Amino acid sequence: MVTLGCARNEVDSEELAARLESAGWRLGDDDPDVIVVNTCGFIESAKKDSIDTLLAAADSGAKVVAAGCMAERYGAELAEALPEAAAVISFDDYTDIGGRLDDVLAGRSLKPHMPRDRRTLLPISPVERTAGHAHVPGHGVLPEGMAPASGPRALRKRLTGGPVAPLKLASGCDRRCTFCAIPAFRGAYVSRSPDDLVAEAAWLAEQGVRELVLVSENSTSYGKDLGDLRALEKLLPRLAGVDGVERVRVSYLQPAELRPGLLEVIATTPGVAPYFDLSFQHASGPVLRRMRRFGDPARFLDLLAQVRERAPEAGVRSNFIVGFPGETEAEFAELVDFLTAARLDVIGVFGYSDEDGTEAAAFDGKLDQEVIDERVAVLTELAEELTAQRAEERIGSELEVLVEEDLGDGGYEGRAAHQGPEVDGSVTVQGIGLVPGQIVRAVAVDSEGVDLIARIKAGS
């Protein structure tokens, strides 16, 4: 099983792995019969990476199955363009993934599905509605290490160790940003039930997980389809109260949907990281409206002020699209000014590119690629300088560091509450006898870019 893309795909792969083992398949790296590649289809570079990975897997001599977002998005088109793949499967195939791989191994042909955005007039099945986390009822005793029943069962098997794991709140998205194709192939937003999430959190804690990272296409939408706009506010304290869970982190928050009550819960609830992964995408009001999003520098800076009023040491990260159709020099300058004032901990910069089936792909005012590349370079250099300055500001502050790895020679790598996994930097702690999964109090004594160096606080 090879997983590409985001943490939501990681959870999908773990659910597929559990279903496969339940169906009699064994996962392993040595001489596999079948390689399942859980692809990403979000942007052009991710699609290229998916194709390269599928081709490399085919060179191994194993039968290759394309799954995930790119397979769902392009279906039969991908199968035609990539004859090296033995099958291209859709989200509909996930509940019987074992049977699908039985067919592949036996040489039985699987008819590629029609891309989802071309099936809009067809009835939507319950499996499609859950878009990758369909419940699988009817199992008896499960193999060791597999998630137990939590109401209608969602099977899951951890594929990686460590004290941090994603927990998927929902799948799909109801927003219609003009640059994004996700709703076309992930479908409508579907929240998981709070009780199922708490039960899965308890199981993850039993597996040694100490930090839960809540993931979805838009976490601030959680509960809307359940008829409760305050569902996430109620869920977070429940998850933080699960025995063994030390920290809960929420990812992907829409600034326009970050209600005061939710902001308060994230900023002040014990066990919930004061961490705000805010999807700004730009700062200029006119650009945001062309993106079919909302906000402007004044509103965004006011939101950041509210966050820091409640939690002065809160971590804030965001991504920004540069070179959106029609972006003027003045609008780009507005974005530069906003970033300078915002004091974000992590800034991701992406150059705009057309995505199949999106509204923006048909917009006038496309910028030359040279202009986009130049603006990306300017903003990236600024982002590196600003985030390094922000890390320097944290020198002398007290951190709660979740230890993740023993580096040897008395050094340990971990993350503070303001740092999300993998992309937000880390903390190197000097100490003795620390173990992964332990949370220690330390004081930041130096910084290197966005990374911090810290010493264990005396008495902790």
Side-chain angles (χ1 to χ4, degrees):
M1 179 81 67
V2 180
T3 305
L4 304 174
C6 65
R8 298 180 292 279
N9 260 14
E10 291 179 29
V11 180
D12 285 353
S13 286
E14 293 190 349
E15 292 176 355
L16 286 173
R19 293 187 180 109
L20 284 167
E21 288 206 353
S22 181
W25 283 79
R26 181 175 60 83
L27 273 72
D29 295 329
D30 298 330
D31 192 27
D33 296 305
V34 179
I35 298 175
V36 177
V37 179
N38 189 355
T39 62
C40 178
F42 182 45
I43 56 177
E44 198 62 35
S45 60
K47 289 184 281 189
K48 183 180 184 303
D49 189 28
S50 294
I51 292 292
D52 290 345
T53 303
L54 287 163
L55 290 173
D59 288 342
S60 70
K63 293 181 182 294
V64 177
V65 174
C69 291
M70 188 175 181
E72 177 66 34
R73 184 174 180 182
Y74 293 104
E77 295 176 20
L78 179 61
E80 182 178 353
L82 198 73
E84 293 86 350
V88 176
I89 64 173
S90 80
F91 296 144
D92 297 354
D93 296 307
Y94 281 16
T95 52
D96 190 26
I97 185 65
R100 298 296 186 270
L101 264 59
D102 290 340
D103 290 338
V104 167
L105 196 59
R108 293 187 287 271
S109 177
L110 296 180
K111 183 179 179 180
H113 64 283
M114 190 187 309
R116 179 176 297 271
D117 59 358
R118 298 182 186 175
R119 291 181 284 160
T120 54
L121 299 181
L122 301 180
I124 298 177
S125 73
V127 174
E128 288 178 3
R129 283 280 299 163
T130 54
H133 61 247
H135 289 138
V136 184
H139 287 270
V141 178
L142 299 175
E144 183 179 354
M146 203 173 292
S150 56
R153 180 173 304 135
L155 300 183
R156 180 174 178 181
K157 178 183 178 64
R158 290 205 74 196
L159 296 178
T160 57
V164 182
L167 179 62
K168 188 161 61 176
L169 286 174
S171 281
C173 187
D174 289 335
R175 298 183 67 91
R176 291 296 181 265
C177 302
T178 58
F179 58 83
C180 183
I182 286 176
F185 58 88
R186 272 291 187 180
Y189 194 91
V190 181
S191 302
R192 298 179 62 192
S193 81
D195 288 345
D196 275 6
L197 289 164
V198 171
E200 188 168 320
W203 173 77
L204 287 168
E206 291 171 0
Q207 306 299 306
V209 172
R210 295 296 170 258
E211 178 176 313
L212 302 173
V213 182
L214 307 188
V215 298
S216 72
E217 277 72 21
N218 173 13
S219 296
T220 40
S221 282
Y222 178 74
K224 284 184 177 180
D225 54 322
L226 303 177
D228 187 355
L229 292 176
R230 299 185 61 238
L232 186 55
E233 299 166 39
K234 300 172 184 175
L235 175 65
L236 287 171
R238 291 183 63 188
L239 292 175
V242 169
D243 189 30
V245 172
E246 300 286 346
R247 181 187 289 165
V248 179
R249 185 183 304 277
V250 188
S251 65
Y252 210 86
L253 302 166
Q254 287 285 351
E257 297 178 3
L258 186 55
R259 300 169 298 279
L262 179 57
L263 190 159
E264 184 77 23
V265 167
I266 295 174
T268 64
T269 302
V272 176
Y275 174 81
F276 293 81
D277 177 13
L278 296 167
S279 176
F280 288 130
Q281 302 298 351
H282 209 280
S284 168
V287 174
L288 288 165
R289 286 191 289 275
R290 291 198 295 275
M291 290 178 169
R292 199 173 291 125
R293 299 175 68 86
F294 306 96
D296 54 49
R299 293 179 186 178
F300 289 167
L301 290 173
D302 179 64
L303 176 60
L304 293 173
Q306 293 179 51
V307 166
R308 288 163 178 155
E309 180 183 358
R310 291 163 176 79
E313 298 301 316
V316 186
R317 79 174 321 277
S318 191
N319 294 324
F320 298 87
I321 297 173
V322 177
F324 192 76
E327 182 190 63
T328 65
E329 290 185 8
E331 289 166 345
F332 177 68
E334 196 171 12
L335 174 56
V336 169
D337 291 343
F338 167 74
L339 288 182
T340 303
R343 296 172 52 243
L344 305 180
D345 292 277
V346 180
I347 299 168
V349 180
F350 298 88
Y352 171 81
S353 62
D354 288 337
E355 285 297 313
D356 296 337
T358 61
E359 189 176 346
F363 281 2
D364 294 329
K366 299 289 177 59
L367 276 64
D368 291 340
Q369 191 61 49
E370 293 82 2
V371 174
I372 295 175
D373 293 344
E374 180 183 354
R375 291 181 182 179
V376 167
V378 168
L379 207 67
T380 298
E381 182 178 357
L382 176 65
E384 290 174 354
E385 179 182 347
L386 292 173
T387 53
Q389 290 174 4
R390 180 63 177 147
E392 287 179 9
E393 292 175 7
R394 293 187 181 274
I395 295 174
S397 64
E398 184 175 317
L399 311 171
E400 289 192 346
V401 181
L402 174 65
V403 178
E404 294 183 318
E405 183 180 358
D406 184 349
L407 301 175
D409 297 326
Y412 300 84
E413 184 175 50
R415 286 177 302 102
H418 72 276
Q419 297 169 316
E422 297 183 7
V423 293
D424 284 7
S426 63
V427 180
T428 300
V429 178
Q430 301 299 318
I432 300 174
L434 306 183
V435 295
Q438 180 180 0
I439 289 186
V440 297
R441 292 186 179 276
V443 176
V445 296
D446 201 356
S447 65
E448 295 180 357
V450 296
D451 299 325
L452 294 173
I453 298 170
R455 293 197 183 102
I456 297 292
K457 186 179 180 182
S460 64

